[in-house]
Amino acid sequence: MFKISDNIKYKNGKKLSMLTCYDYTMATMFEKMKNNIDIILVGDSLGNVIQGEGDTLGVEVDDIIYHTKCVKKGAPSVFTVADMPFMSYQISVEKAVENAGIIMKKSKPNAVKLEGGREYIEHIKKIILSGIPVMGHLGLTPQSVNVFGGYNVRGRLSDEREKIKEDALLLEKAGVFSIVLECIPSDLAQEITNSLKIPVIGIGAGVECDGQVLVLQDMLGMNNNKFKFVRKYAELDSIICNSIKKYDEDVKNNKFPGKDESFV
Ligand code: KIV
């Protein structure tokens, strides 16, 4: 059982590290590294990363449940947040609570995350009242890509900047235990981080946040994404492609399997 205040260290000077994960095998590595990672996010970015879509809009509650179950099996000791997908919480307070409950019952994450501010305050309050911890998400909220008209940095104009700041305060007041800030100017993220008691986790939001999150496949270099805010900690793309090439050569040249890999 996780106590959020034990696991998600509130503003104690130590930064929080969060990464996405969507499957059992990768999750077993998080379990091994549980002292080196604070939070797993089963993000609706699985729409892009796992399903190969251009956006996250098609992700269903059942997809989140399936992937969260896989992840929890592999990393039972790591605090795990499951994303609420597009249209699973927007329609009404009742639908939001119902879907958050279904995700919790069926896949047992430790919390849910949902995008948006003032529009969903009542939804968030009711989910929390039902016993489900909620993480907020402001700034570039990918589920609103069709309103924004793309995946651009948010909060550069003064009206939007003020809105994001106000929304962050409203979310904290509503009881979220943490907020993700995505793709906003660093000084805005810093201002929000300084104004909140709960930890603020950034992605493309500068170094002053209380923590950072990245999509695992991006930081492992498993794709050709060249987002400014991503640091590639490995180049798995070339390692995997070279391994596939070597395997293909070995098979075609009768070099695999060898005697040691065969039965007598
Ligand atoms: O779905 C996701 O991976 C996310 C992160 C980018 C924060 O929401």
Side-chain angles (χ1 to χ4, degrees):
M1 183 57 61
F2 287 94
K3 197 169 152 211
I4 288 201
S5 53
D6 287 348
N7 285 276
I8 308 307
K9 298 150 194 98
Y10 286 83
K11 303 269 192 195
N12 65 359
K14 194 175 162 207
K15 298 262 179 163
L16 290 165
S17 59
M18 176 158 98
L19 282 170
T20 66
C21 182
Y22 318 98
D23 72 287
Y24 170 79
T25 304
M26 293 305 300
T28 60
M29 298 184 204
F30 280 90
E31 185 68 16
K32 274 192 231 161
M33 303 305 294
K34 64 185 176 201
N35 294 328
N36 299 93
I37 193 79
D38 296 296
I39 309 172
I40 290 176
L41 172 64
V42 184
D44 63 354
S45 51
L46 69 85
N48 308 96
V49 178
I50 304 295
Q51 299 173 339
E53 300 292 341
D55 57 47
T56 59
L57 305 186
V59 176
E60 303 284 354
V61 168
D62 281 348
D63 297 328
I64 294 291
I65 290 171
Y66 173 81
H67 288 282
T68 306
K69 267 186 181 171
C70 297
V71 166
K72 281 273 50 161
K73 262 190 217 154
S77 324
V78 184
F79 189 91
T80 298
V81 178
D83 247 343
M84 294 197 67
F86 183 55
M87 284 302 142
S88 68
Y89 59 91
Q90 286 90 342
I91 296 165
S92 66
V93 172
E94 289 71 25
K95 267 268 165 236
V97 176
E98 188 182 342
N99 281 321
I102 291 172
I103 292 170
M104 293 301 286
K105 270 176 184 252
K106 294 200 173 170
S107 57
K108 300 195 168 39
N110 304 101
V112 297
K113 173 168 85 57
L114 59 89
E115 297 178 8
R118 63 198 67 193
E119 322 78 284
Y120 302 119
I121 292 300
E122 292 313 313
H123 307 56
I124 288 167
K125 277 188 188 161
K126 200 67 205 250
I127 295 173
I128 296 169
L129 271 178
S130 311
I132 303 171
V134 176
M135 176 179 266
H137 184 156
L138 296 171
L140 171 56
T141 46
Q143 292 177 17
S144 302
V145 60
N146 290 308
V147 176
F148 295 152
Y151 295 100
N152 302 323
V153 173
R154 312 305 312 176
R156 280 198 170 130
L157 302 174
S158 62
D159 282 2
E160 195 174 44
R161 191 180 166 99
E162 283 314 303
K163 181 174 183 297
I164 296 171
K165 277 199 283 185
E166 286 168 16
D167 279 350
L169 289 169
L170 287 170
L171 287 180
E172 178 173 72
K173 209 162 159 232
V176 304
F177 70 90
S178 173
I179 296 179
V180 168
L181 293 179
E182 180 164 352
C183 287
I184 61 170
S186 307
D187 67 322
L188 173 57
Q190 180 174 16
E191 211 180 315
I192 294 172
T193 302
N194 291 341
S195 71
L196 298 187
K197 292 183 201 73
I198 54 171
V200 171
I201 299 182
I203 174 164
V207 75
E208 300 298 339
C209 299
D210 299 304
Q212 298 292 327
V213 55
L214 283 176
V215 167
L216 185 64
Q217 281 76 353
D218 290 345
M219 61 84 79
L220 291 180
M222 294 177 79
N223 53 43
N224 288 324
N225 291 345
K226 289 194 175 61
F227 301 124
K228 181 177 164 70
F229 56 85
V230 171
R231 182 176 297 173
K232 291 200 178 187
Y233 286 85
E235 291 290 349
L236 288 198
D237 184 14
S238 55
I239 292 177
I240 292 170
C241 289
N242 285 336
S243 306
I244 291 172
K245 184 164 172 267
K246 185 80 182 74
Y247 168 74
D248 176 64
E249 283 166 10
D250 285 354
V251 169
K252 293 198 167 124
N253 294 316
N254 287 330
K255 288 193 173 158
F256 177 81
K259 277 207 172 115
D260 291 351
E261 291 138 343
S262 306
F263 298 104
V264 283

